[in-house]
Amino acid sequence: MSFSSKVKEELSRQLSRARHCQIAEIAAIISLCGRIQISEYDRFCIKIHTENAAVARKYFTLLQKTFNINTDVSIRQGMGVRRNRVYTVGIRRHQDALRVLRAAKLIGHHGEIEENLSLAQNVVILQNCCRRAFIRGAFLAAGSISDPEKFYHFEIACAAKAKAIQLQSLISSFDLDARIVQRKKYYVVYIKEGSQIVDILNVMEATVSLMELENIRILKEMRGSVNRKVNCETANIHKTVSAAVRQVEDIITIRDKIGFDGLPENLKEIARLRLERPEATLKELGEALDPPVGKSGVNHRLRKLGSLAEKLRDGGSGTEA
């Protein structure tokens, strides 16, 4: 089961105690994956279509608990490439459909369906708990979360821009940075930052999935931190080794061309020590001198030897040392 499916399975088993929150969640599900059929006699019928059994089960339960409505449930094989099962939950009785639409504020005072099934009034989502329920219902109906082991991405697809803006505003009310992008015929409300996806799971009250995501984030951050330290240490080792090899080559050039006898005592001492200990760090070389010398002092002497070797390679006598 994918991580997204696990989140939906957890949310599908969560039922708000307050009726107003149940209505807000129903409103979101109908708004995002619902269809309203109107007969020639102006009789309403509501249907929601979903490929997720958990969503169908949640919607069925909400309608039964909130309105005590009997619904029709059907399953058919999809026609697409994946041929997934499609679950349909329908409210066929006109009076039942009307009750639900009015409670969810998806219908106007004069019985007109709001454009794109957007909320006619914000009264459904005035309270903080109802906004949580609406976002939860929207995610169940048309949302997904990527596998956090690979990357972080949370999204809810909306059929209309106005609906996406409304959903973005609701998510932003929890101090979350939700953005909108158009993808083919849909307007997608998305969040990409890991910590903010943790927060949106908290908003939807998916506590088990939240903890799983947090554990994955902690492990990924630890691995990233270790990798950065290893890379840094590897780079430092490579730099140190390259410098030591270059210093040894410079000293050998000096020895072979003019010898050490004409060098000042401090340069002669560090040259012989570097040849004896090519793997030593500057600090270790400095501690081996008598008297000991700091890293900057050792580096200064080796740089003077490097300059001398360069002059000798260019044909100079090196007597300036």
Side-chain angles (χ1 to χ4, degrees):
M1 183 183 290
S2 68
F3 183 73
S4 190
S5 296
K6 288 180 183 178
V7 176
K8 289 192 177 186
E9 185 66 32
E10 180 183 357
L11 294 177
S12 72
R13 299 184 183 280
Q14 182 186 93
L15 192 64
S16 301
R17 293 184 179 181
R19 187 173 186 272
H20 48 80
C21 291
Q22 295 170 6
I23 291 172
E25 195 163 352
I26 289 171
I29 294 173
I30 295 175
S31 179
L32 271 294
C33 68
R35 298 289 184 275
I36 297 178
Q37 296 177 347
I38 306 175
S39 72
E40 57 182 318
Y41 303 107
D42 287 335
R43 312 297 283 180
F44 292 157
C45 171
I46 305 173
K47 290 184 178 180
I48 71 124
H49 304 281
T50 177
E51 294 182 357
N52 193 306
V55 177
R57 182 176 65 243
K58 178 67 176 287
Y59 180 60
F60 175 87
T61 304
L62 281 169
L63 290 173
Q64 198 170 54
K65 294 282 187 182
T66 312
F67 296 99
N68 194 26
I69 290 175
N70 291 321
T71 55
D72 296 329
V73 180
S74 62
I75 306 172
R76 64 176 174 81
Q77 197 71 37
M79 302 300 291
V81 177
R82 296 181 298 171
R83 296 183 63 79
N84 290 343
R85 289 180 176 179
V86 177
Y87 301 86
T88 301
V89 182
I91 305 173
R92 295 192 179 277
R93 290 185 69 247
H94 171 71
Q95 291 302 324
D96 290 340
L98 207 56
R99 281 172 58 205
V100 173
L101 291 173
R102 283 173 175 165
K105 302 302 178 187
L106 296 173
I107 192 170
H109 292 298
H110 303 292
E112 70 279 6
I113 301 298
E114 290 302 308
E115 187 178 0
N116 299 314
L117 285 180
S118 295
L119 296 183
Q121 300 174 29
N122 287 334
V123 66
V124 174
I125 46 176
L126 279 179
Q127 299 186 63
N128 194 55
C129 57
C130 293
R131 289 197 292 272
R132 289 176 181 270
F134 190 92
I135 294 169
R136 181 166 59 243
F139 175 76
L140 279 168
S144 66
I145 298 182
S146 64
D147 180 354
E149 290 280 8
K150 298 177 181 176
F151 58 95
Y152 301 121
H153 185 82
F154 170 97
E155 69 173 43
I156 299 174
C158 302
K161 187 175 182 179
K163 195 177 297 184
I165 292 171
Q166 184 179 59
L167 184 57
Q168 180 191 36
S169 176
L170 285 176
I171 294 174
S172 297
S173 70
F174 292 96
D175 295 324
L176 297 172
D177 183 23
R179 301 187 180 186
I180 298 175
V181 64
Q182 186 171 4
R183 188 186 300 153
K184 295 183 180 178
K185 61 179 181 178
Y186 292 100
Y187 292 88
V188 179
V189 181
Y190 70 94
I191 297 173
K192 295 190 73 69
E193 209 276 313
S195 63
Q196 296 232 328
I197 295 176
V198 169
D199 291 339
I200 195 70
L201 288 175
N202 184 48
V203 166
M204 297 189 298
E205 299 175 298
T207 53
V208 175
S209 300
L210 184 155
M211 293 304 297
E212 183 179 347
L213 177 55
E214 277 287 50
N215 288 338
I216 292 171
R217 285 185 67 231
I218 290 168
L219 287 174
K220 285 178 73 174
E221 287 176 6
M222 287 177 64
R223 285 198 295 265
S225 178
V226 169
N227 288 338
R228 284 192 295 273
K229 287 180 180 178
V230 169
N231 291 339
C232 183
E233 289 174 3
T234 301
N236 287 337
I237 290 171
H238 179 73
K239 184 178 177 181
T240 301
V241 169
S242 298
V245 169
R246 186 178 65 253
Q247 291 159 6
V248 169
E249 290 175 350
D250 290 341
I251 293 168
I252 289 174
T253 297
I254 295 169
R255 182 194 65 189
D256 293 347
K257 286 187 176 289
I258 62 172
F260 294 156
D261 292 339
L263 296 177
E265 192 60 35
N266 62 341
L267 297 186
K268 187 189 304 182
E269 187 180 18
I270 197 66
R272 286 174 175 162
L273 187 59
R274 172 49 94 192
L275 289 179
E276 291 171 5
R277 302 181 59 180
E279 78 293 341
T281 64
L282 296 183
K283 182 180 179 181
E284 291 169 343
L285 289 176
E287 291 172 348
L289 293 171
D290 186 21
V293 176
K295 285 173 59 177
S296 60
V298 172
N299 187 50
H300 178 71
R301 296 182 187 187
L302 289 171
R303 286 176 64 183
K304 290 192 72 174
L305 289 172
S307 298
L308 175 59
E310 193 64 33
K311 290 177 182 177
L312 290 172
R313 292 190 189 101
D314 292 339
S317 63
T319 54
E320 298 88 342

